[in-house]
Amino acid sequence: MAASKETMQFQTEINQLLQLMIHSLYSNKEIFLRELISNASDACDKLRFEALADPALLTGDSELKVEVDFDPEVGTITVRDNGIGMNRDEVIANIGTIAKSGTREFFERLSGDQTKDAKLIGQFGVGFYSAFIVADRVSLNTRRAGMEAEHGVRWESDGTGSYTLETLNLPARGTEIVLHLREEERQDLLSAWRLRGIINKYSDHIPLSIRMRKMGEDGKPGDEWETVNKASALWQRSKSEISDDEYKEFYRYVSHDYGDPLSWSHNHVEGRLEYTSLLFIPAKAPFDLWDHNHSHGIKLYVQRVFIMDDAEQLLPRYLRFVRGVIDSNDLPLNVSREILQGNRVIDQMRSGSVKRILSLLEEMAGKEPEKYQTFWNEFGRALKEGPGEDYGNREQIAKLLRFASTHTDTETQNVSLADYLARMAEGQDKIYYITADSFLAAKNSPQLELLRKKGIEVLLLSDRVDEWLTSHLPEFEGKALASVAKGALDLGAIETEEERKSQAETEKGAEGLVERIKNALGERVEAVRVSHRLTSSPACIVLGERDMALYMQQLLKQAGHEISSTKPVLEINPTHPMLVRIEGEKDDIRFAEWSALLLDQAILAEGGQLEDPAGFVARINQLMLALAS
């Protein structure tokens, strides 16, 4: 193949990233070696997996390894592996994950604080570019396994806005990265003692041999290589042999996160089924947690052989934030994603892993509530998907849920259902809640007036997932969840006989007004009735018990879904001055305008959208002019 070399420009985002790297975005410069070794280890894992289907890929070099070399005379550090390698197209597309996705989100999250911004690097998978923290030029030589020697590729850049690509002859598969260090970095990094220290600190747990040259008597690297890490699967070691620091470093390796995990669970299961799981709960949500294409964070191993990344069959989607590894002794080495579907072993490992994660969260919530609140603030909305996805664990998930409520009237979601039950009023047999498109809309809803007056706590739900949650969580510990904005408000034993009698008298006295408003509104409403829940507002709308909240209906319509239109019930407060004024209106046309205005205001208060907003404005203008004259 004829050699060809071309110069290409970085994307604007990559150029920005390189400038951040060059100006020491990482607070700890030695991290670059951890990132490069981690990438090399992943490349070896991927080759091992592909070789299960095509053993010829390993021909001539079956011992997978990572080598770290250095040359004090020319000022270089080299990291090489004999893993899967890349072809030309893959180099362009995959040299840094940020080149493929997440660039916009990455830069939107930057704060200008180098310490905080450094933690974003791992979340966005841009570890390769950390090489430019210490190097003013980086060369990458690579050849994909299974391709001929003449299909090698060289990528090179000085980090100033462009890079070169050329084809070259490479006799060995894999990837070699050569860092040409800046002058000021050479004295610190170009020693065997320093590099071994970094490897032992950050990469000792990698289940792959990391090698360096043995030092000769003259203090210079010789020709013989030796393994400088433990090269054993950390998850297979006894928990008593593993320090917290080792767990944390392994988490950074498996998650590509810069920070520490919030907690973890390490378990060896023996018996009819034998497997090991090491599962971590991150402290921060990844930027793509809500992306439908978000990859799961579990790596599947079989007998310590890496099989696949992002094995979504191992955990349900609502636990997609969990990172870690599961190593099975009972699956075949040639297992595929298709075979995983409906596999009995997978089902049992999944069930066991879910229970461990939920138990870990339960323990955290009970013993370390502040830490659990940190977890909830990051991942609570994902966990709310649980009752709808995982019926078998619905009760346990429900205990972990947190909400805002009228007990504190703050937006912080820190009220558990157990907390709510402990504060229930005497005779109360329901857990009351309201859903809205924002916290303020929920907090200020007229639907809450009577309940606030009686001192009855109401959960204030304003996450978009809350409608889904409440439709799949009908009760908790024998107490039904009831929306104060849907159906008739039944206070049961909380309401006195005197209050019921007074309500009945009010309804009877307003029969004429109710009928007149219903006739004026016609088909716009299902019914009009006297409200049992209003004390200071003139009116509100109430949906059927199975109807979707208006704001959710509007969101689905905007997303292109066909939603069958539902007619609300208009509830009125006949004692309100506005209703007294309307009742005294003799002009039928003016009365109809007032009635329409009542309905429109009630719809807006519930987060709905008016079909004729211009007509609403015109009615307000007309009534204001009439009142002013």
Side-chain angles (χ1 to χ4, degrees), residues 43-62:
C44 291
D45 281 343
K46 290 173 183 175
L47 175 59
R48 184 184 283 122
F49 175 61
E50 290 197 13
L52 294 175
D54 185 6
L57 293 176
L58 291 172
T59 301
D61 191 8
S62 59

mmCIF file of all heavy atoms in Angstrom, residues 43-62:
data_model
loop_
_atom_site.group_PDB
_atom_site.id
_atom_site.type_symbol
_atom_site.label_atom_id
_atom_site.label_comp_id
_atom_site.label_asym_id
_atom_site.label_seq_id
_atom_site.Cartn_x
_atom_site.Cartn_y
_atom_site.Cartn_z
ATOM 1 N N ALA A 43 -8.206 -2.193 25.349
ATOM 2 C CA ALA A 43 -7.915 -2.704 24.000
ATOM 3 C C ALA A 43 -7.576 -4.198 24.046
ATOM 4 O O ALA A 43 -7.975 -4.967 23.157
ATOM 5 C CB ALA A 43 -6.764 -1.919 23.382
ATOM 6 N N CYS A 44 -6.860 -4.625 25.070
ATOM 7 C CA CYS A 44 -6.537 -6.050 25.215
ATOM 8 C C CYS A 44 -7.790 -6.857 25.543
ATOM 9 O O CYS A 44 -7.975 -7.977 25.029
ATOM 10 C CB CYS A 44 -5.476 -6.248 26.296
ATOM 11 S SG CYS A 44 -3.834 -5.611 25.851
ATOM 12 N N ASP A 45 -8.646 -6.307 26.403
ATOM 13 C CA ASP A 45 -9.908 -6.986 26.728
ATOM 14 C C ASP A 45 -10.754 -7.198 25.482
ATOM 15 O O ASP A 45 -11.347 -8.261 25.274
ATOM 16 C CB ASP A 45 -10.693 -6.163 27.747
ATOM 17 C CG ASP A 45 -10.177 -6.343 29.170
ATOM 18 O OD1 ASP A 45 -9.455 -7.330 29.405
ATOM 19 O OD2 ASP A 45 -10.496 -5.518 30.032
ATOM 20 N N LYS A 46 -10.809 -6.176 24.629
ATOM 21 C CA LYS A 46 -11.636 -6.275 23.416
ATOM 22 C C LYS A 46 -11.076 -7.311 22.454
ATOM 23 O O LYS A 46 -11.827 -8.033 21.788
ATOM 24 C CB LYS A 46 -11.737 -4.900 22.752
ATOM 25 C CG LYS A 46 -12.586 -3.918 23.557
ATOM 26 C CD LYS A 46 -12.535 -2.510 22.982
ATOM 27 C CE LYS A 46 -13.340 -1.551 23.864
ATOM 28 N NZ LYS A 46 -13.232 -0.148 23.404
ATOM 29 N N LEU A 47 -9.756 -7.402 22.366
ATOM 30 C CA LEU A 47 -9.158 -8.412 21.498
ATOM 31 C C LEU A 47 -9.451 -9.812 22.038
ATOM 32 O O LEU A 47 -9.794 -10.725 21.272
ATOM 33 C CB LEU A 47 -7.652 -8.205 21.379
ATOM 34 C CG LEU A 47 -6.907 -9.290 20.578
ATOM 35 C CD1 LEU A 47 -7.443 -9.378 19.146
ATOM 36 C CD2 LEU A 47 -5.416 -9.027 20.575
ATOM 37 N N ARG A 48 -9.335 -9.984 23.340
ATOM 38 C CA ARG A 48 -9.604 -11.294 23.934
ATOM 39 C C ARG A 48 -11.044 -11.732 23.614
ATOM 40 O O ARG A 48 -11.302 -12.893 23.325
ATOM 41 C CB ARG A 48 -9.381 -11.237 25.444
ATOM 42 C CG ARG A 48 -9.553 -12.600 26.124
ATOM 43 C CD ARG A 48 -9.425 -12.477 27.627
ATOM 44 N NE ARG A 48 -8.033 -12.346 28.050
ATOM 45 C CZ ARG A 48 -7.555 -11.331 28.742
ATOM 46 N NH1 ARG A 48 -8.332 -10.334 29.069
ATOM 47 N NH2 ARG A 48 -6.280 -11.307 29.101
ATOM 48 N N PHE A 49 -11.968 -10.801 23.665
ATOM 49 C CA PHE A 49 -13.361 -11.128 23.371
ATOM 50 C C PHE A 49 -13.549 -11.486 21.900
ATOM 51 O O PHE A 49 -14.189 -12.485 21.555
ATOM 52 C CB PHE A 49 -14.261 -9.945 23.753
ATOM 53 C CG PHE A 49 -15.701 -10.151 23.381
ATOM 54 C CD1 PHE A 49 -16.424 -11.214 23.915
ATOM 55 C CD2 PHE A 49 -16.342 -9.288 22.497
ATOM 56 C CE1 PHE A 49 -17.750 -11.410 23.577
ATOM 57 C CE2 PHE A 49 -17.667 -9.480 22.161
ATOM 58 C CZ PHE A 49 -18.371 -10.540 22.700
ATOM 59 N N GLU A 50 -12.982 -10.676 20.992
ATOM 60 C CA GLU A 50 -13.146 -10.956 19.561
ATOM 61 C C GLU A 50 -12.460 -12.263 19.180
ATOM 62 O O GLU A 50 -12.901 -12.962 18.260
ATOM 63 C CB GLU A 50 -12.604 -9.796 18.720
ATOM 64 C CG GLU A 50 -13.453 -8.543 18.802
ATOM 65 C CD GLU A 50 -13.158 -7.557 17.680
ATOM 66 O OE1 GLU A 50 -12.481 -7.952 16.696
ATOM 67 O OE2 GLU A 50 -13.607 -6.389 17.774
ATOM 68 N N ALA A 51 -11.396 -12.597 19.902
ATOM 69 C CA ALA A 51 -10.662 -13.825 19.586
ATOM 70 C C ALA A 51 -11.448 -15.080 19.966
ATOM 71 O O ALA A 51 -11.118 -16.181 19.494
ATOM 72 C CB ALA A 51 -9.306 -13.826 20.302
ATOM 73 N N LEU A 52 -12.468 -14.942 20.791
ATOM 74 C CA LEU A 52 -13.315 -16.094 21.099
ATOM 75 C C LEU A 52 -14.005 -16.601 19.840
ATOM 76 O O LEU A 52 -14.203 -17.803 19.638
ATOM 77 C CB LEU A 52 -14.367 -15.721 22.150
ATOM 78 C CG LEU A 52 -13.835 -15.373 23.544
ATOM 79 C CD1 LEU A 52 -14.984 -14.902 24.429
ATOM 80 C CD2 LEU A 52 -13.131 -16.576 24.171
ATOM 81 N N ALA A 53 -14.382 -15.661 18.958
ATOM 82 C CA ALA A 53 -15.026 -16.028 17.692
ATOM 83 C C ALA A 53 -14.012 -16.243 16.580
ATOM 84 O O ALA A 53 -14.268 -16.996 15.640
ATOM 85 C CB ALA A 53 -16.023 -14.944 17.292
ATOM 86 N N ASP A 54 -12.842 -15.593 16.704
ATOM 87 C CA ASP A 54 -11.826 -15.697 15.659
ATOM 88 C C ASP A 54 -10.443 -15.849 16.306
ATOM 89 O O ASP A 54 -9.694 -14.881 16.449
ATOM 90 C CB ASP A 54 -11.863 -14.449 14.765
ATOM 91 C CG ASP A 54 -10.901 -14.543 13.583
ATOM 92 O OD1 ASP A 54 -10.284 -15.623 13.398
ATOM 93 O OD2 ASP A 54 -10.762 -13.547 12.851
ATOM 94 N N PRO A 55 -10.077 -17.072 16.706
ATOM 95 C CA PRO A 55 -8.799 -17.305 17.400
ATOM 96 C C PRO A 55 -7.582 -16.870 16.606
ATOM 97 O O PRO A 55 -6.519 -16.596 17.178
ATOM 98 C CB PRO A 55 -8.791 -18.825 17.631
ATOM 99 C CG PRO A 55 -10.240 -19.235 17.570
ATOM 100 C CD PRO A 55 -10.870 -18.312 16.574
ATOM 101 N N ALA A 56 -7.723 -16.756 15.283
ATOM 102 C CA ALA A 56 -6.581 -16.368 14.456
ATOM 103 C C ALA A 56 -6.084 -14.971 14.783
ATOM 104 O O ALA A 56 -4.934 -14.619 14.483
ATOM 105 C CB ALA A 56 -6.953 -16.456 12.977
ATOM 106 N N LEU A 57 -6.923 -14.153 15.423
ATOM 107 C CA LEU A 57 -6.517 -12.790 15.770
ATOM 108 C C LEU A 57 -5.348 -12.778 16.746
ATOM 109 O O LEU A 57 -4.596 -11.804 16.815
ATOM 110 C CB LEU A 57 -7.708 -12.030 16.373
ATOM 111 C CG LEU A 57 -8.886 -11.731 15.437
ATOM 112 C CD1 LEU A 57 -10.019 -11.074 16.212
ATOM 113 C CD2 LEU A 57 -8.434 -10.831 14.291
ATOM 114 N N LEU A 58 -5.183 -13.853 17.500
ATOM 115 C CA LEU A 58 -4.105 -13.926 18.486
ATOM 116 C C LEU A 58 -2.851 -14.615 17.957
ATOM 117 O O LEU A 58 -1.867 -14.752 18.680
ATOM 118 C CB LEU A 58 -4.586 -14.669 19.737
ATOM 119 C CG LEU A 58 -5.630 -13.946 20.608
ATOM 120 C CD1 LEU A 58 -6.150 -14.888 21.679
ATOM 121 C CD2 LEU A 58 -5.026 -12.702 21.245
ATOM 122 N N THR A 59 -2.905 -15.049 16.706
ATOM 123 C CA THR A 59 -1.788 -15.817 16.137
ATOM 124 C C THR A 59 -0.461 -15.076 16.275
ATOM 125 O O THR A 59 -0.339 -13.907 15.912
ATOM 126 C CB THR A 59 -2.058 -16.117 14.649
ATOM 127 O OG1 THR A 59 -3.268 -16.863 14.547
ATOM 128 C CG2 THR A 59 -0.920 -16.919 14.043
ATOM 129 N N GLY A 60 0.518 -15.792 16.830
ATOM 130 C CA GLY A 60 1.867 -15.247 16.936
ATOM 131 C C GLY A 60 2.121 -14.421 18.174
ATOM 132 O O GLY A 60 3.273 -14.113 18.492
ATOM 133 N N ASP A 61 1.077 -14.060 18.910
ATOM 134 C CA ASP A 61 1.277 -13.229 20.099
ATOM 135 C C ASP A 61 0.043 -13.352 20.981
ATOM 136 O O ASP A 61 -0.802 -12.468 21.031
ATOM 137 C CB ASP A 61 1.508 -11.772 19.687
ATOM 138 C CG ASP A 61 1.982 -10.916 20.859
ATOM 139 O OD1 ASP A 61 2.269 -11.485 21.923
ATOM 140 O OD2 ASP A 61 2.038 -9.681 20.700
ATOM 141 N N SER A 62 -0.061 -14.445 21.691
ATOM 142 C CA SER A 62 -1.282 -14.733 22.451
ATOM 143 C C SER A 62 -1.246 -14.188 23.872
ATOM 144 O O SER A 62 -2.272 -14.177 24.557
ATOM 145 C CB SER A 62 -1.523 -16.250 22.488
ATOM 146 O OG SER A 62 -0.422 -16.901 23.097
#
